[in-house]
Amino acid sequence: MADELVHIVVDRGVATVTLDSPHNRNALSRQLRGELRGHLSTAIDDDNVRVIVLDHTGPVFCAGMDLKEAGGASAGDQGVNEFPEILEQIRTSPKPVVAKLAGPARAGGVGIVAAADIAVAATSATFAFTEVRIGVVPAVISVTVLPRLLPRAAHELFLTGETFDATRAATIGLINSAVPAEELDAEVKRYTDMLCLGGPVALAATKALLRSEPSDFGTMLKLSAEFFASEEGQEGITAFAQKRKPNWVPE
């Protein structure tokens, strides 16, 4: 659709979901939020999809909530009410999610970056929690952001709203890798290629494990033994012995 603000393309197991609203810096408008939720659901439900990449057109990854729509609306009518569903889709997706940033992320856009399993940015990209500077609180995004950040950095950057670069974002745990712009595509592909090697059921279970707090060996032993004996586990073991790729690796 010509007027669509979010697109999805699936190629060799990778679903690329692209924010395409450069006129407002890919702000989270009502239309963009709806389309993003829809395309994420499509990718999650597609058995042919192994990895989801969040990409963007234009110079900005995502500027956060659409402030033009937020002006004059009551608390119950604010678009931010729909935002937790998007972050939860990304965070709990059984397929690994990779965020690809060729440009800046602000406020809610940083929340999306933090919700992704892996985030890669060009060194020219910048980040900021700008909420306090317009008199609001980074409350919703704190659910995904705070587990990523070093505590001292979180206090500093949430309270000051200061802009910081991709190199620092990697240092404090917000992103995995900061690379020159010309290397961004290759770095994202490096991650997606590795992720496609993992068993889909095992990847989903491992994501759930990472969101939990394992506390006893008994529960973890049961989970491990079940996967060793599972159809996917046995295929992986057999493929290893036969020195071939498992049957889940995209051709």
Side-chain angles (χ1 to χ4, degrees), residues 53-107:
V53 173
L54 298 177
D55 201 352
H56 66 100
T57 64
V60 176
F61 174 75
C62 178
M65 298 307 300
D66 189 326
L67 298 183
K68 289 183 178 179
E69 291 184 353
S74 67
D77 294 329
Q78 290 291 339
V80 72
N81 290 310
E82 300 174 4
F83 196 36
E85 181 181 346
I86 294 172
L87 295 180
E88 192 69 359
Q89 273 186 299
I90 297 168
R91 191 175 73 97
T92 64
S93 162
K95 286 87 182 277
V97 180
V98 179
K100 174 186 175 184
L101 291 83
R106 297 289 185 269

Side-chain angles (χ1 to χ4, degrees), residues 166-189:
T167 300
R168 188 174 188 203
T171 300
I172 62 178
L174 179 62
I175 65 174
N176 297 80
S177 180
V179 297
E182 62 272 16
E183 298 176 16
L184 184 59
D185 287 344
E187 182 73 343
V188 170
K189 186 177 185 301

Side-chain angles (χ1 to χ4, degrees), residues 11-32:
D11 181 36
R12 298 185 70 248
V14 178
T16 301
V17 177
T18 303
L19 307 183
D20 185 19
S21 184
H23 71 279
N24 67 350
R25 296 162 31 105
N26 289 318
L28 295 163
S29 64
R30 182 179 297 104
Q31 180 182 346
L32 188 143

Side-chain angles (χ1 to χ4, degrees), residues 209-231:
L209 178 67
L210 289 166
R211 294 193 303 274
S212 68
E213 296 183 4
S215 59
D216 67 278
F217 283 113
T219 301
M220 293 300 101
L221 174 58
K222 182 175 182 293
L223 178 65
S224 184
E226 287 174 350
F227 268 87
F228 268 98
S230 70
E231 180 179 345

